[in-house]
Amino acid sequence: MGNMMEYIKMAFKNIRANKGRSFLTMLGIIIGISSVIMVMSVGDGTANAMNSEVSDLGTGQIALYCSEDASNAEEWITPEDITAIEEKVKGVEGVTPGDGAAGTTSTGKGEFFLQLNGGTEIMQKAVNYDMKRGTYFTREDVEMGNRVCVITSSDAKRLFGSDDVVGMDIEATINNITNSYRIAGVTQQKENGGFVSYTYEGAPVALDVPYTSFESFGWESDSFYSVTLFADEKADSEEVVKDVVHLLETRHQCAGEEYYQVESFQDMVKELNDVLRIVTTFISCVAAISLIVGGIGVMNIMLVSVTERTREIGIRKSLGAKTSSILMQFLAEAAILTIVGGIIGIIVGLVGAVGACGLMSASMGSTIHPGIKASTILGATLFSCGIGVFFGIYPARKAAKLSPIEALRRN
């Protein structure tokens, strides 16, 4: 232990004697470690923020849609199917069809494109908004086919210059037929809702409406390509899916035809997380290349150090220093260079991750905290130490194997 402390003291003394060269040697390690930590922390933080945001939105949400065979056979999902699912399948809170229509409207602010999203009152669970004013439309509105709508605060301001619009009418023109929709409620995007956003600059004004209200435009909403199920949080989603598909196959007499396909919202989130993880890992691997470069830099500088201190090594060996002592001396110096560089890299990486997440939060309107993990920091530290030892072995062995006579003969 005493000898090791002596080697460490000697290593620090030599590093301090060549501050500029030592810092440049550590620079590659610093860049590599900080890059890896920053990328991993930002990637994990982004995934955590996204999962937190969609957890409420997507809990129990299941997409049910017709396969190509069902479409060819015209075995669509009907309103009667929706009622049967809600009444007969345990664990289903509600079902909303995927119905929609595009049109236009005109206000004092100009003419706007409209996107009418038709569904049942349960559709409120499918959007990333909270009610700001008024209420969402009701089951009675759906049953009666009432022309009521829910609009976002941002869209209300686009149309009327204010979001205090509950009770006002919007004239919707579709296929040269104009009908008036009474605004029942105004929504606003949930706090920390920057990932799941349904609007963009120049997007059509979106209205949530009862799907039955489309009858006023001259067509029957009596069949749907897709619907969205909302299962109870305590229910087994797989069992719910099996029961729903079995019910539909029984009603349409198509058992074994695989007419109806399902996809869980959580499955989609998992796939998105997998993609994000792959991208983060790939970028981290690219960043880790600089660690290899940094390790080569450590080896080069240590070889220079061996050359500069040849006479010192010769004197020590002539006085009885063991080969293992010379080896440990130079290994300690290489390890300290990489450890110090690793510590600085960790600090820079953490600060960079906080800064990057802050910029992303400001630009996206969503709060993102860096996903700092002890395992990431520990892994980076061990990796930097391993780099130092690995790339320090060759110079250290070269120093240790020098012949004392040959070393003393050199100037």
Side-chain angles (χ1 to χ4, degrees):
M1 185 65 182
N3 288 338
M4 180 56 67
M5 290 303 299
E6 187 64 29
Y7 300 146
I8 293 174
K9 289 179 181 179
M10 292 174 65
F12 273 114
K13 181 179 179 181
N14 188 61
I15 291 171
R16 284 196 298 267
N18 300 276
K19 296 183 181 67
R21 188 173 71 184
S22 298
F23 175 75
L24 292 175
T25 304
M26 291 186 292
L27 193 57
I29 303 295
I30 293 172
I31 293 173
I33 293 292
S34 61
S35 299
V36 170
I37 288 180
M38 186 168 70
V39 170
M40 292 293 290
S41 298
V42 172
D44 289 340
T46 302
N48 292 339
M50 182 180 65
N51 288 332
S52 175
E53 183 177 330
V54 302
S55 60
D56 293 333
L57 174 66
T59 300
Q61 194 172 146
I62 302 167
L64 174 67
Y65 57 92
C66 297
S67 66
E68 184 177 352
D69 290 338
S71 300
N72 293 335
E74 296 187 355
E75 292 293 344
W76 310 104
I77 302 169
T78 66
E80 292 74 24
D81 291 332
I82 292 176
T83 301
I85 291 171
E86 291 177 333
E87 292 178 351
K88 297 181 179 180
V89 179
K90 293 182 180 180
V92 174
E93 291 186 348
V95 184
T96 183
D99 205 1
T104 60
T105 188
S106 295
T107 68
K109 293 286 187 178
E111 185 169 326
F112 300 86
F113 289 105
L114 282 180
Q115 176 61 47
L116 278 66
N117 303 312
T120 65
E121 76 287 349
I122 199 71
M123 185 167 62
Q124 183 179 8
K125 291 175 64 67
V127 294
N128 194 38
Y129 295 114
D130 289 323
M131 294 304 304
K132 184 177 182 181
R133 301 179 187 274
T135 61
Y136 210 79
F137 60 80
T138 64
R139 172 54 64 101
E140 182 181 359
D141 291 323
V142 177
E143 293 174 349
M144 298 296 293
N146 293 336
R147 292 195 300 272
V148 294
C149 67
V150 177
I151 189 171
T152 66
S153 175
S154 58
D155 281 342
K157 291 176 181 178
R158 289 170 63 193
L159 291 179
F160 303 105
S162 169
D163 61 9
D164 188 9
V165 295
V166 174
M168 296 177 64
D169 292 334
I170 295 177
E171 300 290 332
T173 301
I174 301 174
N175 295 336
N176 297 319
I177 299 175
T178 300
N179 284 303
S180 178
Y181 276 84
R182 179 64 53 86
I183 299 176
V186 177
T187 60
Q188 65 179 357
Q189 189 163 314
K190 291 181 179 180
E191 185 178 355
N192 193 30
F195 287 98
V196 185
S197 179
Y198 302 97
T199 61
Y200 55 91
E201 187 176 351
V205 171
L207 303 180
D208 289 355
V209 303
Y211 76 90
T212 49
S213 68
F214 290 147
E215 294 177 4
S216 62
F217 291 101
W219 72 79
E220 296 287 336
S221 294
D222 56 359
S223 60
F224 310 105
Y225 169 77
S226 67
V227 298
T228 301
L229 313 176
F230 293 90
D232 187 276
E233 292 183 12
K234 298 179 181 179
D236 186 335
S237 295
E238 292 185 3
E239 288 299 319
V240 170
V241 166
K242 290 180 181 178
D243 292 342
V244 169
V245 172
H246 177 70
L247 175 62
L248 288 176
E249 290 180 341
T250 300
R251 288 179 58 84
H252 292 263
Q253 299 180 2
C254 60
E257 298 292 339
E258 297 185 354
Y259 276 3
Y260 305 104
Q261 307 294 322
V262 294
E263 186 168 12
S264 168
F265 192 88
Q266 297 302 322
D267 291 338
M268 291 185 282
V269 172
K270 181 178 180 298
E271 291 176 5
L272 186 60
N273 278 333
D274 289 341
V275 172
L276 183 61
R277 191 175 300 110
I278 290 171
V279 172
T280 300
T281 302
F282 174 74
I283 296 175
S284 298
C285 290
V286 172
I289 293 175
S290 61
L291 281 174
I292 307 300
V293 175
I296 294 172
V298 170
M299 181 173 64
N300 289 337
I301 294 301
M302 292 306 299
L303 286 172
V304 171
S305 181
V306 169
T307 301
E308 290 179 343
R309 295 157 65 186
T310 300
R311 287 185 62 80
E312 175 193 331
I313 296 169
I315 293 172
R316 290 192 62 197
K317 296 196 76 172
S318 65
L319 293 175
K322 296 180 180 179
T323 299
S324 59
S325 298
I326 305 296
L327 178 68
M328 289 305 299
Q329 176 187 345
F330 281 87
L331 271 181
E333 189 171 327
I336 288 171
L337 280 171
T338 49
I339 290 173
V340 173
I343 292 172
I344 297 174
I346 290 170
I347 296 172
V348 173
L350 295 177
V351 173
V354 172
C357 287
L359 290 175
M360 292 175 63
S361 299
S363 62
M364 298 178 63
S366 179
T367 303
I368 303 175
H369 301 288
I372 299 170
K373 295 181 179 179
S375 58
T376 302
I377 296 175
L378 179 61
T381 303
L382 292 176
F383 194 75
S384 66
C385 293
I387 285 287
V389 172
F390 180 80
F391 285 100
I393 287 176
Y394 176 69
R397 283 174 59 86
K398 184 176 180 180
K401 289 184 176 181
L402 281 175
S403 166
I405 298 175
E406 181 64 26
L408 288 172
R409 288 171 56 184
R410 297 184 186 179
N411 294 324

